[in-house]
Amino acid sequence: MTVFASTDYNAHEIVSHFHDPASGLRAIVAVHSTVLGPAFGGCRMYPYADDEAALADALRLSRAMTYKAALAGVPFGGGKAVIIGDPARDKSDALLTAMARFIDSFGGRYQTADDVGTTVGDMAVMRRITPYARGLADAAGEPCPATAWGTYHGLRAVARHRFGRRDLAGLSVAIQGLGSVGWRLAGYLAADGVRLVVSDIRPEAVARAVRAFGATAVTPDRILFEDVDILSPNALGAVFDDRTIPQLRARAIAGAANNQLARPEHGRMLAARGITYAPDYVVNAGGLIDVAHEGPGYDPQTVLHCCAGIAETVAAVLRRADRDGAAPADIADRMAEECLAAGADADKPLVSPGFRPYDIGALA
Ligand code: NAD
């Protein structure tokens, strides 16, 4: 396995491997960039087919975190931790403790939170060893609603840009996935008078949405292809590819799922089909904004206020995409790179401790 030869290697600052024979932990931490602040990114636990797949995930996801943080205006760089193993079978307090020691060894240069295969409860175990395991539960023990609130505001920005609408009443939105983000999003949209079409592989979640929001249920194989104003993927990655894009009937896309485009060119394919795409990492930055506020004086209302600022960032991306005749996904990357360049050049980082949203006036 060679890091530098990997196609996912992108001038990462640190790539570190860790093995703890006693607990069986095998893990990789990739620090992509600390230009704008300490590298932050979730700790994923997954039964990777091999070490190379784990490394590729860490490299790719840590870079994405750099871009997400840059456009969210939070003082973080990008990193990612991956634990090679099956969370249902291999996770133990001993393994989490060993992982916490590994993370602590970065002295704060890398900081983590819950992700696929880990929970806010796991972070609480790790916090006994290191303060750099973040991610708090809300009062009900769920991850906080910040991601759903940010996604809602990102979607509103798309509606405004695409349909000239300040409100959402009467628009139709198809939601794929009614988990912690999709369910909350459905609630916000229903309250705005949106006509909802929903799907989940958990029939009980779908039945609940039909009852609670008057949503129309469709099967998981149909949800992407519904004839709606906005499609909101909140379940899986890589949903837009050579097969699905030609069949889409939605006019616009705004959802929280990570890595919605199977490959970068799929952002251009969406644009060529006239479908307005709000880049996933801009839309779903609410959780990151929330983590950035953790600590003494944490105020959920301030967090939600900052998450609403995602609307301005989405609007800036879409305006510039129109102006330049480019795909919004490419424009978001370019804007993030501009933030990084500004942050690297300045005496002080571009982002402020007040976590202003991305300064759209400067670059839009
Ligand atoms: P979740 O696991 O709570 O919910 C995902 C839902 O999708 C589940 O209800 C699941 O049954 C459903 N699902 C799975 N496969 C499906 C399919 N083929 N068709 C329809 N539904 C399907 O996850 P979440 O926390 O709500 O996150 C949703 C997405 O947003 C994920 O891609 C996640 O990576 C991304 N995201 C989440 C956060 C966050 O703070 N939770 C932050 C950034 C990005």
Side-chain angles (χ1 to χ4, degrees):
M1 182 171 52
T2 53
V3 172
F4 299 125
S6 166
T7 49
D8 294 300
Y9 179 73
N10 179 258
H12 286 68
E13 293 176 14
I14 307 171
V15 182
S16 187
H17 296 66
F18 184 73
H19 181 211
D20 177 57
S23 64
L25 174 68
R26 286 182 302 138
I28 301 172
V29 167
V31 170
H32 176 250
S33 167
T34 56
V35 167
L36 297 179
F40 177 82
C43 176
R44 178 165 291 197
M45 182 164 186
Y46 190 78
Y48 291 100
D50 51 38
D51 296 358
E52 252 153 85
L55 175 68
D57 223 20
L59 292 174
R60 201 169 40 82
L61 293 167
S62 57
R63 175 175 182 267
M65 285 305 294
T66 300
Y67 282 47
K68 183 190 287 203
L71 282 198
V74 298
F76 281 146
K80 198 79 187 180
V82 299
I83 299 175
I84 301 165
D86 180 347
R89 201 190 55 206
D90 304 325
K91 203 194 288 176
S92 64
D93 272 18
L95 179 135
L96 292 172
T97 301
M99 188 64 193
R101 282 202 308 274
F102 181 29
I103 286 165
D104 200 58
S105 71
F106 289 85
R109 191 165 177 193
Y110 169 69
Q111 306 188 16
T112 200
D114 51 300
D115 197 81
V116 174
T118 61
T119 64
V120 281
D122 297 335
M123 294 304 117
V125 172
M126 289 166 66
R127 264 196 301 280
R128 291 184 210 143
I129 306 293
T130 179
Y132 305 120
R134 306 168 72 135
L136 303 176
D138 70 5
E142 298 283 325
C144 131
T147 304
W149 190 242
T151 302
Y152 166 66
H153 283 278
L155 188 148
R156 286 182 64 115
V158 167
R160 187 157 177 196
H161 182 88
R162 178 65 199 248
F163 307 114
R165 293 286 302 266
R166 283 179 180 273
D167 71 331
L168 301 178
L171 290 181
S172 53
V173 175
I175 299 183
Q176 182 189 45
L178 293 165
S180 56
V181 176
W183 177 264
R184 282 186 165 112
L185 176 67
Y188 302 141
L189 296 176
D192 279 355
V194 168
R195 287 186 293 120
L196 291 176
V197 183
V198 298
S199 185
D200 197 289
I201 51 171
R202 295 179 300 123
E204 70 282 7
V206 175
R208 209 151 64 94
V210 170
R211 278 196 310 275
F213 310 129
T216 302
V218 299
T219 51
D221 58 329
R222 278 188 39 200
I223 188 73
L224 292 177
F225 312 117
E226 287 297 300
D227 184 2
V228 288
D229 295 310
I230 302 176
L231 172 62
S232 184
N234 296 287
L236 313 163
V239 281
F240 301 121
D241 60 18
D242 293 343
R243 181 188 72 83
T244 58
I245 290 174
Q247 300 181 64
L248 297 178
R249 292 191 292 163
R251 268 68 77 192
I253 296 168
N258 277 315
N259 302 322
Q260 292 168 30
L261 305 175
R263 291 194 308 276
E265 61 265 33
H266 292 119
R268 284 156 232 147
M269 270 178 81
L270 288 172
R273 279 217 51 209
I275 299 170
T276 304
Y277 172 69
D280 45 16
Y281 69 79
V282 182
V283 170
N284 70 18
L288 178 64
I289 291 171
D290 180 52
V291 167
H293 283 78
E294 278 177 10
Y298 175 82
D299 173 21
Q301 290 311 316
T302 305
V303 172
L304 295 180
H305 177 75
C306 289
C307 290
I310 286 174
E312 291 175 48
T313 313
V314 168
V317 170
L318 296 179
R319 274 200 306 273
R320 186 158 153 186
D322 281 356
R323 189 194 72 192
D324 295 358
D330 291 336
I331 291 295
D333 285 356
R334 208 173 297 161
M335 287 164 76
E337 281 154 14
E338 287 164 358
C339 283
L340 287 170
D345 287 348
D347 291 339
K348 288 192 182 132
L350 183 71
V351 288
S352 78
F355 313 128
R356 285 177 299 104
Y358 174 68
D359 182 1
I360 52 172
L363 297 169

